[in-house]
Amino acid sequence: MLTKVETLLITVVLFIFLTGPMSARAQPRTEVPSRARSGHSTAWLRDMSRAECCMQSNKVPVVQHAHHVHPLTPLITYSNEHFSPGTPPSHLSPEILDPKTGIPRTPHPSELSPYYPLSPGAVGSIAHPLGWFMPQQGQHMYSIPPGGFRHPYPALAMNASMSSLVSSRFSPHMVTPPPHGLHQTGIPHPAIVSPAIKQEPSGDNISPTMQARKSPAPHKKEEDKKPHIKKPLNAFMLYMKEMRAKVVAECTLKESAAINQILGRRWHSLSREEQAKYYELARKERQLHSQLYPGWSARDNYGKRKKRKRENKPDSKPEDFSIRSKKQCVQYLPSEKMCDSPASSHGSMLDSPATPSAALASPAAPAATHSEQAQPLSLTTKPEGRMHHRFPLPGKASGSTSSSSSSSSSSQPSSIPVGTSGSQPTTPILTRPIPFTSLHPSMLSSPSPFHQAALHTHHALFQSQPLSLVTKPTE
DNA sequence: CCCCCTTTGAAGGGT
DNA sequence: ACCCTTCAAAGGGGG
């Protein structure tokens, strides 16, 4: 017999369950009972395992984190339509209209990509840097703070579209007003952040909008003059931005290092199509960026950040990495897993039936992409990563990407891994149980929250799978 | 207060 | 052509 209280509780839980955040919603995950993670002794590792646990377990945060899981994340993170290969032409693009209000938004240049500040001069010159795509990606891409509403991004804040979108559509209490009380017109551009980083005399002509937040440096003036133009985000960064919130919510983890590891693995578990979308997005971002800041060079930002360690000489023996005294590179994840993950994902890639020729057809996403996906290991941090054959990076091949993609396009992206896979069967440990691609296309092209939810679910599925597989002692 | 950690990708410079 | 380094995000942790 249930007491009133119990009944009430159940009701509440049900309510939350039904109306609550999708991210927290029970997702039909193929449950992997045992997260036979090898012993994690450190707190970090514990967290990690917990994180994985979260990812694999349904009971997660539905209630527990209901308050802090942002219900919007699944909805407002990347709207998948942005990625959809079949994204309608810009003139049809829904994004131009405020999805919620339906009010046609004039794609103010500054909104093309909220991420980049507009260089006064550049703006005009930019007819349609990415006309066919930008209005969509740009906005949403960065407009939605992954950490979102819990930790409103200062710079990301929200641009006009975002705020209107969110505020109009979602309950107000979730929407934190622009932290700095910036007007919607005074959109802070994330890319132009001139934070603590000391400005380096880099030649760029950007309106002195943002003022250094922290740097008390005497050269503020200079800073103002030359705001720090950030690098365009790469595919993975974009992915992280989108997914971080989810992971944080699901796992209650906050340490970025740990989260990033998770994301890294998830990234590898993504299908080609999905990754391709991010690559595509990234490519366009770069395009836009280059158009906005023609003279900008990544090198301009060199030295703005306090020397980055990077002690890991590829040569340095694994043992050597003790060099780092500070916070000794804690392997949030078992090292072997880390290694496997990639390999496994690799395998999955191979398995992946889909020949997202369409998606990959784009110059950026291209096959090259693939190679990278298959080539997960970061050389920088993982010495042994090297062992994996290195595929030509798409980036370098930026030019080549297109070529490669185009050339190999016919041969399908799958060909990329070929080199690797072909030569090294790297035991396709990871076989994707669910033909992810099957549900994908529709979801991608559909802005419907449901689709997105589905996508989210899909993500969730994958999260768990790779992890489970990882546990396999692949060697 | 500042840097580190961690991830992948892009890009630039050096060899 | 290849290798190495730096930076992009992000937020807790540590010195």
Side-chain angles (χ1 to χ4, degrees):
Chain A
M1 165 175 10
L2 297 176
T3 68
K4 265 191 174 181
V5 175
E6 287 171 332
T7 305
L8 182 61
L9 275 177
I10 291 174
T11 304
V12 170
V13 169
L14 275 176
F15 178 79
I16 293 173
F17 199 83
L18 294 175
T19 65
M22 283 182 251
S23 63
R25 250 177 229 183
Q27 294 154 348
R29 299 171 179 152
T30 54
E31 195 22 52
V32 182
S34 70
R35 66 162 185 294
R37 285 257 167 289
S38 56
H40 298 175
S41 54
T42 68
W44 279 100
L45 293 179
R46 266 206 309 281
D47 286 345
M48 276 307 299
S49 64
R50 196 169 99 229
E52 293 174 0
C53 185
C54 288
M55 288 189 257
Q56 298 174 347
S57 168
N58 273 349
K59 53 190 160 195
V60 185
V62 173
V63 175
Q64 181 182 355
H65 304 300
H67 62 286
H68 103 239
V69 170
H70 197 282
L72 299 182
T73 42
L75 295 176
I76 60 178
T77 50
Y78 275 155
S79 13
N80 300 311
E81 68 260 29
H82 304 149
F83 301 130
S84 83
T87 303
S90 60
H91 64 282
L92 296 178
S93 77
E95 289 80 2
I96 291 187
L97 301 180
D98 196 316
K100 284 35 182 189
T101 63
I103 299 171
R105 300 180 45 260
T106 58
H108 183 287
S110 67
E111 293 179 3
L112 286 180
S113 173
Y115 194 73
Y116 306 124
L118 294 179
S119 108
V123 175
S125 64
I126 305 171
H128 304 293
L130 309 171
W132 51 280
F133 132 96
M134 219 34 227
Q136 322 171 2
Q137 264 89 346
Q139 294 176 17
H140 299 278
M141 175 175 311
Y142 300 106
S143 55
I144 291 153
F149 305 90
R150 291 192 308 117
H151 312 288
Y153 291 102
L156 287 180
M158 306 183 189
N159 55 28
S161 67
M162 184 55 204
S163 61
S164 65
L165 179 157
V166 174
S167 61
S168 63
R169 161 122 185 180
F170 307 97
S171 57
H173 70 274
M174 300 177 183
V175 181
T176 56
H180 345 304
L182 288 176
H183 279 264
Q184 293 184 340
T185 53
I187 302 163
H189 296 279
I192 207 171
V193 175
S194 57
I197 310 170
K198 21 179 176 354
Q199 291 304 323
E200 187 176 73
S202 64
D204 257 316
N205 51 342
I206 292 102
S207 62
T209 50
M210 298 303 291
Q211 130 176 3
R213 268 205 306 264
K214 315 161 102 179
S215 65
H219 307 301
K220 227 167 209 174
K221 283 174 57 183
E222 295 179 6
E223 291 182 6
D224 288 347
K225 288 179 183 177
K226 294 160 186 178
H228 180 206
I229 298 173
K230 295 184 177 182
K231 293 176 66 174
L233 302 187
N234 63 36
F236 180 69
M237 286 296 156
L238 292 172
Y239 172 74
M240 283 210 324
K241 258 176 120 50
E242 178 196 354
M243 301 301 295
R244 176 180 299 279
K246 286 182 188 172
V247 174
V248 170
E250 292 173 3
C251 306
T252 70
L253 269 181
K254 288 188 178 173
E255 291 83 355
S256 290
I259 291 172
N260 289 349
Q261 282 192 349
I262 295 172
L263 288 172
R265 297 210 309 215
R266 290 195 189 184
W267 172 253
H268 292 304
S269 71
L270 290 181
S271 70
R272 297 173 181 175
E273 297 85 354
E274 280 205 334
Q275 284 192 345
K277 290 172 210 138
Y278 289 97
Y279 282 111
E280 175 83 357
L281 215 50
R283 182 181 65 82
K284 287 164 182 170
E285 279 296 306
R286 286 197 304 277
Q287 269 185 14
L288 178 64
H289 192 279
S290 66
Q291 296 201 24
L292 287 175
Y293 315 107
W296 182 88
S297 162
R299 188 151 177 67
D300 294 345
N301 293 352
Y302 274 31
K304 301 209 168 170
R305 222 182 236 206
K306 276 337 172 337
K307 211 30 142 243
R308 211 127 176 271
K309 38 65 176 299
R310 222 81 276 169
E311 43 70 25
N312 310 357
K313 285 292 185 193
D315 305 280
S316 66
K317 300 300 177 187
E319 303 90 34
D320 294 353
F321 64 91
S322 59
I323 297 169
R324 208 141 228 19
S325 57
K326 265 225 157 160
K327 196 174 176 185
Q328 187 162 324
C329 298
V330 180
Q331 288 275 336
Y332 300 96
L333 295 176
S335 60
E336 59 273 9
K337 310 264 164 78
M338 300 292 288
C339 295
D340 289 352
S341 173
S344 58
S345 68
H346 187 338
S348 68
M349 293 306 187
L350 296 177
D351 294 344
S352 173
T355 57
S357 55
L360 295 178
S362 85
T369 315
H370 247 311
S371 48
E372 323 161 306
Q373 317 173 348
Q375 197 49 0
L377 293 182
S378 132
L379 300 178
T380 57
T381 49
K382 290 171 192 58
E384 64 270 36
R386 238 158 208 243
M387 57 184 214
H388 292 284
H389 32 281
R390 295 189 55 167
F391 293 121
L393 293 174
K396 294 252 182 186
S398 64
S400 67
T401 49
S402 58
S403 65
S404 66
S405 68
S406 61
S407 63
S408 64
S409 62
S410 59
S411 61
Q412 298 141 7
S414 53
S415 64
I416 296 94
V418 167
T420 355
S421 61
S423 59
Q424 306 211 347
T426 63
T427 70
I429 310 151
L430 242 192
T431 54
R432 188 170 287 120
I434 298 175
F436 158 86
T437 53
S438 63
L439 63 152
H440 215 15
S442 62
M443 298 192 301
L444 291 176
S445 56
S446 168
S448 161
F450 291 100
H451 287 101
Q452 296 185 2
L455 177 62
H456 178 70
T457 296
H458 161 72
H459 276 306
L461 281 173
F462 273 157
Q463 302 159 8
S464 62
Q465 290 166 0
L467 289 175
S468 66
L469 293 171
V470 171
T471 58
K472 276 190 180 177
T474 48
E475 155 317 283

